[in-house]
Amino acid sequence: MKRTVLVLVVLFAAGRLTAQMAAGAVVHDGSAFPVVADLNRDGLDDLIQDRTVLFNNGGSFSAPVALPLEGSDRVVEVLDANGDHRPDLLTQDTSVYGAPHYRLYLATGDGGFTPGNFYLPTPIAPYIADFDGDGVDDLILTNDVFKGMVRVATDLTLLRSNANGSFDRMNTYRLPLVVQGALQSYRILAGDLNHDGKPDLVIRCADELVVMRGTGGGAFEIETRYLPAPFGYTAKTLADIEGDGNLDFVLAEGREVLAFLGDGRGNFPRFATGAIEKKHDMAPSIIRESSQQPRDIAIGNFTASHPQIALGTNEGDVVILEYRDGVLAEAARNLTEFLAVSVRAGSFVSPGHSDIEASGTGTSMNGSPRLLIGREKVAPASAPRATPRLRSIRDTSPANVHYNVTTRGGCASNETAWTLRHEGMFNQGSSTEGGKVEAFIKGDWLWYRMNVPYSSDPVAGILVRHGDTYSGEVAVKTAACDWQIVSISATLDH
């Protein structure tokens, strides 16, 4: 078989100096993790903090103004539950331990809200998405599925909004297990991945990336891709990072950002990565470096007219990355006075422009949040809009991957060839014996999960690259010989 030889050509060019955003006002009455929304519809985003709102005065903020909430309700997210384009409030009441309830307050148009009479029919946290594309936000409920005492899957139940504060229960879909904390933002990622006019949903599960492909009317078809646990849960978003008019899936883990680049058909045949470099130590060093994990991702045109990614670091930097020549390159960096920085995007100084609210978390030494003001603005009316480009299907052409599987002792010894369809970092396929194999390939590491005839449970592990071959070992419980050590090698032939 003819083997393709990859030749790496490295070109050195003059480096681009990174810029900084301008330091804005300190939000003296602010706190971490606000809900950002234009509550009074003046074109500038306000900061909602539990039971109060700080109104934006053009880059500075008012003293906290109490919201008309019942009991001990606190705002956890905003939505448009009736299609009037005014932010409505989703609140949570945790006054009864172990039995939280949720309530909906509809905006009245005069700066007020309806009494909190719209109790939501669940003690489970509802998540927000316009899953039927009618311009009105709907709700999604999650429920863990157990096998004995073990959580094995998650059911998603769709509640369609009637645009009056009530909801109709629709379909329930069973997904692979959703990790606790993976849906911490009260929103499920939604967007039209394949330009068919129907919203699709993207959910990060325990070891899968799930795409719920919309078929119309709030119905979905489920697609799963193997995305093993080491790659982030908490910081993720959908955005057109590449600027080609197609939505991409972006996640952050440790000091790396991964962007799975959409092709306009709902697939992710290419990817780009970028490092969140550490430029200085923490002072004082009270947070472990191993705990570095971006808490959130902010998307906006912060220092340029194209989409950019903003994240915070443990040591206090706000780092902005952008897609450039096939990679995510650093475009800007601001050193803040905080540790473990959280970021929120918003229009804080002028309508339609992207700025950042940065705040410290995880330590009492952090001060009040402050604004970072974007540069090089392009007015929305004159900003160029990309025409969606459908990527060639050659980007997902099959790659033959041969898995030679043998066991020590020979009990379950066999040799199986697998053919995988290659899609960027995602790979999946089957063997002539009917087994299924999935792989996630990143550099010199190959994470795999496969079903083999001699084991009732999936076999999973990591292979390490040596030359042209990925190899490794895994313990497998076989039906005939109990536990065996299985040697696995994968050679990619094109």
Side-chain angles (χ1 to χ4, degrees):
M1 177 181 293
K2 184 177 180 180
R3 187 183 301 276
T4 299
V5 178
L6 299 179
V7 179
L8 178 63
V9 179
V10 181
L11 301 177
F12 293 92
R16 178 188 292 186
L17 297 176
T18 60
Q20 282 188 324
M21 300 179 72
V26 174
V27 187
H28 292 288
D29 293 310
S31 61
F33 310 125
V35 175
V36 176
D38 181 9
L39 208 59
N40 57 1
R41 303 184 69 201
D42 63 353
L44 298 177
D45 282 319
D46 310 304
L47 302 178
I48 303 172
Q49 301 179 155
D50 289 341
R51 297 178 56 82
T52 64
V53 57
L54 279 59
F55 286 110
N56 192 335
N57 297 319
S60 63
F61 290 86
S62 71
V65 176
L67 293 166
L69 304 180
E70 302 285 341
S72 59
D73 284 3
R74 65 180 186 90
V75 178
V76 295
E77 189 54 278
V78 296
L79 70 163
D80 184 2
N82 54 4
D84 64 356
H85 307 294
R86 299 185 179 96
D88 306 311
L89 306 179
L90 174 64
T91 66
Q92 180 192 58
D93 181 359
T94 57
S95 58
V96 179
Y97 179 77
H101 67 259
Y102 295 85
R103 197 165 3 212
L104 184 63
Y105 294 80
L106 299 179
T108 58
D110 57 1
F113 294 88
T114 59
N117 298 327
F118 296 105
Y119 282 93
L120 300 180
T122 174
I124 305 169
Y127 298 95
I128 301 166
D130 178 13
F131 58 69
D132 56 2
D134 64 353
V136 179
D137 281 328
D138 309 298
L139 298 178
I140 300 175
L141 306 182
T142 65
N143 188 44
D144 287 337
V145 178
F146 287 83
K147 184 177 181 180
M149 299 294 292
V150 179
R151 296 188 306 138
V152 295
T154 300
D155 283 346
L156 261 65
T157 300
L158 308 183
L159 302 180
R160 175 186 278 167
S161 174
N162 292 318
N164 60 7
S166 65
F167 298 83
D168 289 335
R169 184 178 293 264
M170 297 182 63
N171 298 330
T172 295
Y173 295 89
R174 179 152 297 180
L175 304 184
L177 181 64
V178 176
V179 175
Q180 292 182 351
L183 299 177
Q184 86 287 358
S185 65
Y186 287 92
R187 280 194 176 270
I188 284 180
L189 303 182
D192 188 0
L193 298 178
N194 55 357
H195 305 291
D196 64 354
K198 304 177 182 69
D200 308 301
L201 304 180
V202 178
I203 300 172
R204 175 66 165 104
C205 295
D207 281 307
E208 287 86 5
L209 176 64
V210 173
V211 175
M212 299 179 63
R213 193 181 293 273
T215 58
F220 295 88
E221 295 177 351
I222 307 298
E223 299 177 357
T224 63
R225 293 167 172 82
Y226 181 47
L227 183 57
F231 302 97
Y233 295 112
T234 57
K236 56 196 177 303
T237 190
L238 286 178
D240 179 15
I241 295 302
E242 192 182 6
D244 64 352
N246 301 319
L247 286 176
D248 312 310
F249 176 65
V250 183
L251 61 81
E253 176 66 30
R255 290 196 175 272
E256 186 175 36
V257 181
L258 294 176
F260 302 100
L261 304 177
D263 64 356
R265 293 182 171 87
N267 305 310
F268 303 100
R270 299 169 302 114
F271 64 91
T273 65
I276 309 171
E277 295 184 12
K278 183 178 181 180
K279 296 293 183 71
H280 57 88
D281 291 326
M282 288 174 279
S285 182
I286 60 175
I287 302 177
R288 292 179 302 168
E289 170 61 23
S290 60
S291 68
Q292 165 64 27
Q293 170 61 44
R295 295 173 177 268
D296 30 48
I297 295 176
I299 301 293
N301 304 331
F302 302 113
T303 66
S305 59
H306 48 263
Q308 296 174 307
I309 305 167
L311 312 98
T313 69
N314 274 356
E315 63 270 19
D317 289 344
V318 173
V319 180
I320 296 176
L321 304 178
E322 63 185 15
Y323 181 84
R324 193 189 305 162
D325 299 325
V327 300
L328 300 178
E330 184 174 315
R333 179 182 289 258
N334 281 72
L335 174 62
T336 72
E337 61 267 46
F338 310 123
L339 296 178
V341 184
S342 173
V343 293
R344 294 286 192 271
S347 296
F348 296 123
V349 174
S350 56
H353 292 163
S354 300
D355 309 304
I356 291 175
E357 188 261 13
S359 58
T361 63
T363 171
S364 61
M365 298 180 64
N366 285 300
S368 299
R370 77 156 54 246
L371 301 184
L372 298 176
I373 311 304
R375 295 174 180 264
E376 300 180 28
K377 300 300 185 183
V378 176
S382 61
R385 186 175 182 84
T387 300
R389 290 185 289 145
L390 297 182
R391 293 289 179 178
S392 168
I393 58 174
R394 289 178 296 177
D395 289 330
T396 58
S397 59
N400 294 325
V401 181
H402 297 292
Y403 281 83
N404 301 310
V405 182
T406 58
T407 63
R408 294 177 182 174
C411 177
S413 179
N414 68 355
E415 186 170 302
T416 306
W418 310 79
T419 300
L420 275 71
R421 184 169 181 82
H422 179 64
E423 184 196 345
M425 288 180 162
F426 304 106
N427 303 266
Q428 56 185 335
S430 60
S431 74
T432 55
E433 298 178 354
K436 179 183 178 182
V437 63
E438 301 164 288
F440 182 82
I441 301 175
K442 183 176 183 295
D444 292 336
W445 301 82
L446 186 152
W447 287 258
Y448 66 87
R449 182 175 62 186
M450 65 176 78
N451 298 103
V452 291
Y454 48 80
S455 176
S456 59
D457 296 320
V459 177
I462 301 175
L463 306 182
V464 181
R465 185 173 181 173
H466 302 281
D468 294 328
T469 301
Y470 295 86
S471 60
E473 294 181 337
V474 65
V476 177
K477 187 173 184 180
T478 64
C481 304
D482 202 44
W483 288 98
Q484 297 281 296
I485 299 298
V486 178
S487 299
I488 302 177
S489 63
T491 303
L492 278 68
D493 296 326
H494 298 273

